PDB file of all heavy atoms in Angstrom:
ATOM      1  N   GLY G  13     148.606 190.665  68.515  1.00 55.00           N
ATOM      2  CA  GLY G  13     149.889 191.198  68.980  1.00 55.00           C
ATOM      3  C   GLY G  13     150.677 191.840  67.850  1.00 55.00           C
ATOM      4  O   GLY G  13     151.272 192.913  68.011  1.00 55.00           O
ATOM      5  N   ALA G  14     150.663 191.203  66.684  1.00 52.00           N
ATOM      6  CA  ALA G  14     151.382 191.749  65.534  1.00 52.00           C
ATOM      7  C   ALA G  14     150.721 193.031  65.047  1.00 52.00           C
ATOM      8  O   ALA G  14     151.403 193.980  64.649  1.00 52.00           O
ATOM      9  CB  ALA G  14     151.434 190.721  64.409  1.00 52.00           C
ATOM     10  N   GLN G  15     149.397 193.077  65.088  1.00 55.00           N
ATOM     11  CA  GLN G  15     148.672 194.273  64.673  1.00 55.00           C
ATOM     12  C   GLN G  15     148.999 195.451  65.594  1.00 55.00           C
ATOM     13  O   GLN G  15     149.202 196.572  65.138  1.00 55.00           O
ATOM     14  CB  GLN G  15     147.163 194.030  64.665  1.00 55.00           C
ATOM     15  CG  GLN G  15     146.687 193.104  63.568  1.00 55.00           C
ATOM     16  CD  GLN G  15     146.834 193.723  62.210  1.00 55.00           C
ATOM     17  OE1 GLN G  15     147.876 193.592  61.580  1.00 55.00           O
ATOM     18  NE2 GLN G  15     145.815 194.386  61.745  1.00 55.00           N
ATOM     19  N   ILE G  16     149.049 195.193  66.883  1.00 56.00           N
ATOM     20  CA  ILE G  16     149.379 196.251  67.849  1.00 56.00           C
ATOM     21  C   ILE G  16     150.813 196.725  67.622  1.00 56.00           C
ATOM     22  O   ILE G  16     151.088 197.930  67.593  1.00 56.00           O
ATOM     23  CB  ILE G  16     149.172 195.770  69.302  1.00 56.00           C
ATOM     24  CG1 ILE G  16     147.670 195.562  69.557  1.00 56.00           C
ATOM     25  CG2 ILE G  16     149.767 196.749  70.308  1.00 56.00           C
ATOM     26  CD1 ILE G  16     147.349 194.867  70.856  1.00 56.00           C
ATOM     27  N   GLY G  17     151.738 195.772  67.433  1.00 55.00           N
ATOM     28  CA  GLY G  17     153.137 196.122  67.172  1.00 55.00           C
ATOM     29  C   GLY G  17     153.273 196.963  65.914  1.00 55.00           C
ATOM     30  O   GLY G  17     154.032 197.933  65.869  1.00 55.00           O
ATOM     31  N   ALA G  18     152.521 196.608  64.867  1.00 55.00           N
ATOM     32  CA  ALA G  18     152.564 197.371  63.624  1.00 55.00           C
ATOM     33  C   ALA G  18     151.998 198.768  63.833  1.00 55.00           C
ATOM     34  O   ALA G  18     152.501 199.749  63.276  1.00 55.00           O
ATOM     35  CB  ALA G  18     151.784 196.643  62.529  1.00 55.00           C
ATOM     36  N   GLY G  19     150.958 198.871  64.660  1.00 58.00           N
ATOM     37  CA  GLY G  19     150.373 200.181  64.958  1.00 58.00           C
ATOM     38  C   GLY G  19     151.368 201.089  65.660  1.00 58.00           C
ATOM     39  O   GLY G  19     151.499 202.265  65.317  1.00 58.00           O
ATOM     40  N   VAL G  20     152.094 200.547  66.623  1.00 57.00           N
ATOM     41  CA  VAL G  20     153.107 201.328  67.341  1.00 57.00           C
ATOM     42  C   VAL G  20     154.234 201.720  66.381  1.00 57.00           C
ATOM     43  O   VAL G  20     154.683 202.867  66.369  1.00 57.00           O
ATOM     44  CB  VAL G  20     153.663 200.527  68.545  1.00 57.00           C
ATOM     45  CG1 VAL G  20     154.874 201.209  69.145  1.00 57.00           C
ATOM     46  CG2 VAL G  20     152.581 200.324  69.591  1.00 57.00           C
ATOM     47  N   LYS G  21     154.675 200.778  65.550  1.00 55.00           N
ATOM     48  CA  LYS G  21     155.761 201.043  64.606  1.00 55.00           C
ATOM     49  C   LYS G  21     155.359 202.132  63.610  1.00 55.00           C
ATOM     50  O   LYS G  21     156.175 202.961  63.212  1.00 55.00           O
ATOM     51  CB  LYS G  21     156.126 199.748  63.866  1.00 55.00           C
ATOM     52  CG  LYS G  21     157.251 199.898  62.894  1.00 55.00           C
ATOM     53  CD  LYS G  21     158.577 200.074  63.594  1.00 55.00           C
ATOM     54  CE  LYS G  21     159.700 200.029  62.585  1.00 55.00           C
ATOM     55  NZ  LYS G  21     160.997 200.149  63.179  1.00 55.00           N
ATOM     56  N   SER G  22     154.081 202.153  63.222  1.00 63.00           N
ATOM     57  CA  SER G  22     153.641 203.154  62.251  1.00 63.00           C
ATOM     58  C   SER G  22     153.686 204.560  62.840  1.00 63.00           C
ATOM     59  O   SER G  22     153.801 205.534  62.100  1.00 63.00           O
ATOM     60  CB  SER G  22     152.236 202.829  61.741  1.00 63.00           C
ATOM     61  OG  SER G  22     151.282 202.987  62.767  1.00 63.00           O
ATOM     62  N   ILE G  23     153.647 204.677  64.140  1.00 67.00           N
ATOM     63  CA  ILE G  23     153.728 205.989  64.786  1.00 67.00           C
ATOM     64  C   ILE G  23     155.139 206.557  64.666  1.00 67.00           C
ATOM     65  O   ILE G  23     155.324 207.737  64.374  1.00 67.00           O
ATOM     66  CB  ILE G  23     153.313 205.903  66.277  1.00 67.00           C
ATOM     67  CG1 ILE G  23     151.817 205.581  66.367  1.00 67.00           C
ATOM     68  CG2 ILE G  23     153.630 207.195  67.023  1.00 67.00           C
ATOM     69  CD1 ILE G  23     151.351 205.245  67.763  1.00 67.00           C
ATOM     70  N   VAL G  24     156.143 205.700  64.872  1.00 64.00           N
ATOM     71  CA  VAL G  24     157.530 206.164  64.838  1.00 64.00           C
ATOM     72  C   VAL G  24     158.158 206.056  63.456  1.00 64.00           C
ATOM     73  O   VAL G  24     159.223 206.601  63.215  1.00 64.00           O
ATOM     74  CB  VAL G  24     158.400 205.420  65.877  1.00 64.00           C
ATOM     75  CG1 VAL G  24     157.913 205.683  67.277  1.00 64.00           C
ATOM     76  CG2 VAL G  24     158.429 203.928  65.609  1.00 64.00           C
ATOM     77  N   GLY G  25     157.508 205.338  62.536  1.00 66.00           N
ATOM     78  CA  GLY G  25     158.024 205.217  61.173  1.00 66.00           C
ATOM     79  C   GLY G  25     158.933 204.026  60.994  1.00 66.00           C
ATOM     80  O   GLY G  25     159.375 203.402  61.954  1.00 66.00           O
ATOM     81  N   GLY G  26     159.190 203.690  59.758  1.00 67.00           N
ATOM     82  CA  GLY G  26     160.073 202.574  59.423  1.00 67.00           C
ATOM     83  C   GLY G  26     159.303 201.424  58.811  1.00 67.00           C
ATOM     84  O   GLY G  26     158.079 201.411  58.764  1.00 67.00           O
ATOM     85  N   GLU G  27     160.045 200.458  58.329  1.00 69.00           N
ATOM     86  CA  GLU G  27     159.443 199.301  57.677  1.00 69.00           C
ATOM     87  C   GLU G  27     158.747 198.402  58.687  1.00 69.00           C
ATOM     88  O   GLU G  27     159.261 198.160  59.777  1.00 69.00           O
ATOM     89  CB  GLU G  27     160.515 198.485  56.954  1.00 69.00           C
ATOM     90  CG  GLU G  27     159.934 197.274  56.243  1.00 69.00           C
ATOM     91  CD  GLU G  27     160.977 196.416  55.564  1.00 69.00           C
ATOM     92  OE1 GLU G  27     162.181 196.652  55.747  1.00 69.00           O
ATOM     93  OE2 GLU G  27     160.561 195.494  54.846  1.00 69.00           O
ATOM     94  N   LEU G  28     157.602 197.912  58.308  1.00 67.00           N
ATOM     95  CA  LEU G  28     156.872 196.936  59.118  1.00 67.00           C
ATOM     96  C   LEU G  28     157.271 195.557  58.602  1.00 67.00           C
ATOM     97  O   LEU G  28     156.613 194.973  57.745  1.00 67.00           O
ATOM     98  CB  LEU G  28     155.363 197.154  58.998  1.00 67.00           C
ATOM     99  CG  LEU G  28     154.869 198.554  59.354  1.00 67.00           C
ATOM    100  CD1 LEU G  28     153.387 198.695  59.063  1.00 67.00           C
ATOM    101  CD2 LEU G  28     155.159 198.850  60.814  1.00 67.00           C
ATOM    102  N   ARG G  29     158.384 195.043  59.108  1.00 75.00           N
ATOM    103  CA  ARG G  29     158.967 193.813  58.551  1.00 75.00           C
ATOM    104  C   ARG G  29     158.036 192.614  58.642  1.00 75.00           C
ATOM    105  O   ARG G  29     157.991 191.795  57.730  1.00 75.00           O
ATOM    106  CB  ARG G  29     160.296 193.514  59.229  1.00 75.00           C
ATOM    107  CG  ARG G  29     161.340 194.520  58.834  1.00 75.00           C
ATOM    108  CD  ARG G  29     162.695 194.194  59.377  1.00 75.00           C
ATOM    109  NE  ARG G  29     163.577 195.304  59.044  1.00 75.00           N
ATOM    110  CZ  ARG G  29     164.835 195.337  59.342  1.00 75.00           C
ATOM    111  NH1 ARG G  29     165.386 194.345  59.987  1.00 75.00           N
ATOM    112  NH2 ARG G  29     165.561 196.381  59.003  1.00 75.00           N
ATOM    113  N   GLY G  30     157.296 192.511  59.726  1.00 73.00           N
ATOM    114  CA  GLY G  30     156.348 191.401  59.856  1.00 73.00           C
ATOM    115  C   GLY G  30     155.277 191.464  58.779  1.00 73.00           C
ATOM    116  O   GLY G  30     154.898 190.447  58.189  1.00 73.00           O
ATOM    117  N   MET G  31     154.791 192.670  58.497  1.00 75.00           N
ATOM    118  CA  MET G  31     153.773 192.842  57.461  1.00 75.00           C
ATOM    119  C   MET G  31     154.376 192.587  56.074  1.00 75.00           C
ATOM    120  O   MET G  31     153.738 191.983  55.215  1.00 75.00           O
ATOM    121  CB  MET G  31     153.183 194.249  57.514  1.00 75.00           C
ATOM    122  CG  MET G  31     152.474 194.555  58.813  1.00 75.00           C
ATOM    123  SD  MET G  31     151.064 193.496  59.062  1.00 75.00           S
ATOM    124  CE  MET G  31     149.765 194.633  58.697  1.00 75.00           C
ATOM    125  N   THR G  32     155.607 193.040  55.856  1.00 78.00           N
ATOM    126  CA  THR G  32     156.283 192.805  54.588  1.00 78.00           C
ATOM    127  C   THR G  32     156.431 191.312  54.346  1.00 78.00           C
ATOM    128  O   THR G  32     156.158 190.812  53.250  1.00 78.00           O
ATOM    129  CB  THR G  32     157.666 193.485  54.573  1.00 78.00           C
ATOM    130  OG1 THR G  32     157.485 194.884  54.752  1.00 78.00           O
ATOM    131  CG2 THR G  32     158.407 193.226  53.281  1.00 78.00           C
ATOM    132  N   LYS G  33     156.857 190.582  55.367  1.00 83.00           N
ATOM    133  CA  LYS G  33     157.017 189.135  55.256  1.00 83.00           C
ATOM    134  C   LYS G  33     155.677 188.466  54.966  1.00 83.00           C
ATOM    135  O   LYS G  33     155.584 187.587  54.108  1.00 83.00           O
ATOM    136  CB  LYS G  33     157.618 188.579  56.551  1.00 83.00           C
ATOM    137  CG  LYS G  33     157.890 187.095  56.514  1.00 83.00           C
ATOM    138  CD  LYS G  33     158.523 186.628  57.808  1.00 83.00           C
ATOM    139  CE  LYS G  33     158.754 185.126  57.779  1.00 83.00           C
ATOM    140  NZ  LYS G  33     159.293 184.627  59.048  1.00 83.00           N
ATOM    141  N   MET G  34     154.621 188.894  55.653  1.00 81.00           N
ATOM    142  CA  MET G  34     153.296 188.313  55.452  1.00 81.00           C
ATOM    143  C   MET G  34     152.811 188.551  54.016  1.00 81.00           C
ATOM    144  O   MET G  34     152.293 187.642  53.367  1.00 81.00           O
ATOM    145  CB  MET G  34     152.279 188.894  56.434  1.00 81.00           C
ATOM    146  CG  MET G  34     150.886 188.295  56.263  1.00 81.00           C
ATOM    147  SD  MET G  34     149.606 189.127  57.210  1.00 81.00           S
ATOM    148  CE  MET G  34     149.364 190.592  56.234  1.00 81.00           C
ATOM    149  N   LEU G  35     153.013 189.755  53.503  1.00 83.00           N
ATOM    150  CA  LEU G  35     152.567 190.064  52.149  1.00 83.00           C
ATOM    151  C   LEU G  35     153.368 189.296  51.102  1.00 83.00           C
ATOM    152  O   LEU G  35     152.810 188.829  50.108  1.00 83.00           O
ATOM    153  CB  LEU G  35     152.630 191.564  51.892  1.00 83.00           C
ATOM    154  CG  LEU G  35     151.565 192.371  52.638  1.00 83.00           C
ATOM    155  CD1 LEU G  35     151.809 193.865  52.459  1.00 83.00           C
ATOM    156  CD2 LEU G  35     150.181 191.995  52.174  1.00 83.00           C
ATOM    157  N   ALA G  36     154.666 189.136  51.320  1.00 88.00           N
ATOM    158  CA  ALA G  36     155.494 188.351  50.390  1.00 88.00           C
ATOM    159  C   ALA G  36     155.034 186.891  50.370  1.00 88.00           C
ATOM    160  O   ALA G  36     154.922 186.283  49.301  1.00 88.00           O
ATOM    161  CB  ALA G  36     156.963 188.454  50.782  1.00 88.00           C
ATOM    162  N   GLN G  37     154.733 186.339  51.539  1.00 90.00           N
ATOM    163  CA  GLN G  37     154.235 184.968  51.611  1.00 90.00           C
ATOM    164  C   GLN G  37     152.865 184.860  50.935  1.00 90.00           C
ATOM    165  O   GLN G  37     152.582 183.883  50.242  1.00 90.00           O
ATOM    166  CB  GLN G  37     154.134 184.508  53.065  1.00 90.00           C
ATOM    167  CG  GLN G  37     155.472 184.287  53.730  1.00 90.00           C
ATOM    168  CD  GLN G  37     155.351 184.041  55.229  1.00 90.00           C
ATOM    169  OE1 GLN G  37     154.358 184.380  55.862  1.00 90.00           O
ATOM    170  NE2 GLN G  37     156.397 183.468  55.799  1.00 90.00           N
ATOM    171  N   SER G  38     152.029 185.866  51.120  1.00 91.00           N
ATOM    172  CA  SER G  38     150.697 185.861  50.514  1.00 91.00           C
ATOM    173  C   SER G  38     150.785 185.905  48.993  1.00 91.00           C
ATOM    174  O   SER G  38     150.055 185.196  48.297  1.00 91.00           O
ATOM    175  CB  SER G  38     149.875 187.050  51.020  1.00 91.00           C
ATOM    176  OG  SER G  38     149.636 186.927  52.399  1.00 91.00           O
TER     177      SER G  38
END
């Protein structure tokens, strides 16, 4: 679900906050 949401967000542009949070935690 998060991957699909990120895919849609990448079409319209802007920060992928869920991915940013995941990378910071990683």
Side-chain angles (χ1 to χ4, degrees):
Q15 290 292 89
I16 292 170
V20 170
K21 181 72 172 182
S22 68
I23 292 170
V24 298
E27 181 182 8
L28 304 174
R29 290 185 186 181
M31 298 297 255
T32 300
K33 183 178 178 183
M34 181 189 76
L35 289 173
Q37 289 171 340
S38 295

